[in-house]
Amino acid sequence: MLLFQPHSINGKLPVENRIVMPPVVTRLATNEGHVTDKLIERYLMYAKGGAGLVITEAVSVKEQKSGQLLRLNSDSFVPGLKEMTKRIHDQTSCKIAPQIIHFLKISRSGYRQKVEDLSIEEVRDIPRLFAEAAARARQAGFDAVELHYAHAYTMASFLSRHNHRKDDYGGSLNKRLRLGEEVLQAVRKAVGQDFVVGARINGDEFTLGGNTPAQSKPIALKLTELGLDYLSVSAGGRFEDALLREGEALDPYTGYSGHRTMPPAWMDKKVNVYLAAEIKTLLNTEGYTIPVITAGRIPDAETANGILEAGQADLIGIARPILCDPYWPKKYKENREKDILKCIYCNECREAEGSFQEVICARWKKKDGSVVPPTP
């Protein structure tokens, strides 16, 4: 099965198979952004489960109030993350990368900071924040770093057609791309040419007036031209169609675009694969062969392998099924499908994340009230 064949990410990073666990928030970090023993154990479990590459939950590049979100905005966060990467490398062959993120302010009052609200000085400081965080990621022993250019956050919002800045960072596609280019260039300078730098982008925002493949394809091409090592294609997760709930901060995963980020059971399986396939076709046509990752309701190894055999992607992102059973890759490889606890796409994990609760699979909960994750 092609899914379990080894791969090399842009000739720099060998991975033992084509399975990637994309970012899944755990809510296991401290409120100050430090690693905890429970968080390390969670990622060690994912690594032991057999994925070739695990990408952590988003890690903030800036010092700001963010709840139980990992951070890399100062050297103080390096030792804890270094302990995590060391344990994973000592005990498994899995590769691990942090997804680094810059996000804007939001409050329960209904206020939401937009890219138009940032001063030019604040905008010009963002590449430095990403570059310093990426350098710390390498220092902490990570194998790669992923730039979060998707969903509702700062970088995606600059790339979006919803960006209405009037200066050199908004308006035309070339101007909206400017900050993304500057961040990538700054990160590459900070980590060197030999270190893998990937990015996650939206293939489609699924909002009225937002980006579609007409914008995401040239964005992907430009980032690749600038030296990106892999591209992960997601979708949606925008504030523009979020449901307004009195007394709560806007949640970008409550509207239709949010459902496209984490497709629920009522959506078709592999519903977003075509977005990655179109981008991969464009990159290959232009002579680029960097791996393209697809994700979004890919429930089993047969479906994942079919995507690879059809040439629609190079690596397969399996998030909620691996949260449900962290040993999903190992069990499929050993032909033990009957032993797999299978995701039913109920999205209770998403509800827990939005409520700032520890994120576990609802299927781990037993009738007696205990919580028991699957075993190898």
Side-chain angles (χ1 to χ4, degrees):
M1 188 176 274
L2 188 56
L3 183 65
F4 295 106
Q5 295 300 308
H7 192 71
S8 177
I9 297 180
N10 207 19
K12 299 178 182 180
L13 182 65
V15 289
E16 66 177 1
N17 56 50
R18 308 295 183 91
I19 301 169
V20 177
M21 183 171 186
V24 174
V25 174
T26 65
R27 297 295 183 195
L28 292 174
T30 70
N31 283 326
E32 294 74 34
H34 287 282
V35 167
T36 63
D37 289 340
K38 287 187 71 174
L39 185 140
I40 292 176
E41 289 300 326
R42 176 69 64 86
Y43 281 105
L44 187 58
M45 182 166 60
Y46 294 152
K48 288 180 176 179
L53 172 65
V54 171
I55 302 169
T56 73
E57 58 205 82
V59 182
S60 179
V61 303
K62 185 179 179 182
E63 183 178 1
Q64 63 188 114
K65 186 176 180 180
S66 56
Q68 309 115 309
L69 181 72
L70 288 171
R71 297 185 192 175
L72 263 173
N73 60 279
S74 83
D75 292 343
S76 66
F77 297 102
V78 171
L81 290 166
K82 193 168 187 176
E83 174 63 21
M84 181 172 77
T85 60
K86 182 178 186 303
R87 289 183 63 184
I88 287 171
H89 290 144
D90 285 349
Q91 298 181 43
T92 78
S93 57
C94 180
K95 302 299 191 297
I96 185 165
Q99 182 189 70
I100 56 176
I101 184 175
H102 185 286
F103 59 93
L104 300 174
K105 297 175 183 177
I106 187 169
S107 72
R108 293 184 180 181
S109 68
Y111 170 75
R112 175 172 71 89
Q113 189 180 33
K114 300 179 181 179
V115 295
E116 294 88 348
D117 300 325
L118 296 177
S119 69
I120 191 65
E121 291 77 19
E122 289 174 311
V123 174
R124 289 173 176 166
D125 195 42
I126 290 174
R128 176 189 66 83
L129 294 172
F130 271 94
E132 291 179 355
R136 293 185 187 106
R138 182 163 195 173
Q139 183 184 350
F142 286 101
D143 300 291
V145 66
E146 180 172 287
L147 310 178
H148 198 348
Y149 283 13
H151 308 145
Y153 310 107
T154 306
M155 298 306 299
S157 295
F158 270 92
L159 293 170
S160 175
R161 291 182 68 238
H162 293 297
N163 170 5
H164 300 298
R165 288 183 69 96
K166 303 300 182 184
D167 57 11
D168 288 339
Y169 291 92
S172 69
L173 179 58
N174 285 340
K175 289 183 176 181
R176 301 198 311 271
L177 255 166
R178 181 174 179 177
L179 183 62
E181 295 172 6
E182 291 176 349
V183 166
L184 175 55
Q185 290 167 331
V187 166
R188 177 58 72 196
K189 184 177 180 180
V191 300
Q193 292 296 325
D194 62 325
F195 194 68
V196 167
V197 178
R200 196 172 210 198
I201 68 168
N202 275 344
D204 196 314
E205 291 186 334
F206 293 108
T207 58
L208 186 63
N211 284 2
T212 72
Q215 290 75 42
S216 63
K217 287 191 282 188
I219 288 169
L221 180 59
K222 183 62 177 179
L223 295 175
T224 303
E225 289 172 348
L226 289 174
L228 204 65
D229 290 308
Y230 75 80
L231 194 66
S232 178
V233 181
S234 187
R238 299 294 301 169
F239 281 114
E240 284 78 12
D241 72 341
L243 299 182
L244 183 62
R245 295 168 174 168
E246 188 174 352
E248 296 182 15
L250 271 181
D251 184 337
Y253 300 105
T254 53
Y256 177 73
S257 75
H259 288 314
R260 289 302 292 251
T261 306
M262 290 167 278
W266 51 266
M267 286 188 178
D268 288 338
K269 65 181 181 180
K270 57 180 184 177
V271 64
N272 292 331
V273 168
Y274 75 97
L275 297 170
E278 289 186 18
I279 287 173
K280 177 175 166 57
T281 296
L282 171 66
L283 296 183
N284 292 168
T285 299
E286 295 294 328
Y288 296 100
T289 58
I290 67 167
V292 174
I293 303 172
T294 191
R297 211 163 113 61
I298 301 171
D300 52 61
E302 290 74 21
T303 301
N305 198 65
I307 294 166
L308 295 173
E309 290 185 339
Q312 295 175 296
D314 303 286
L315 299 168
I316 307 296
I318 307 290
R320 288 167 294 171
I322 291 181
L323 169 63
C324 183
D325 191 333
Y327 302 96
W328 187 100
K330 174 181 170 67
K331 290 175 181 177
Y332 266 117
K333 185 178 182 181
E334 296 173 353
N335 295 313
R336 292 195 291 131
E337 182 178 358
K338 67 181 186 304
D339 297 333
I340 296 173
L341 184 65
K342 294 188 176 181
C343 177
I344 58 174
Y345 296 98
C346 64
N347 278 354
E348 282 196 30
C349 51
R350 160 65 204 130
E351 295 299 321
E353 185 273 325
S355 300
F356 293 87
Q357 300 172 4
E358 178 181 346
V359 176
I360 63 170
C361 180
R363 301 204 67 195
W364 295 3
K365 301 174 184 177
K366 306 304 177 184
K367 291 181 179 179
D368 63 3
S370 62
V371 175
V372 182
T375 59

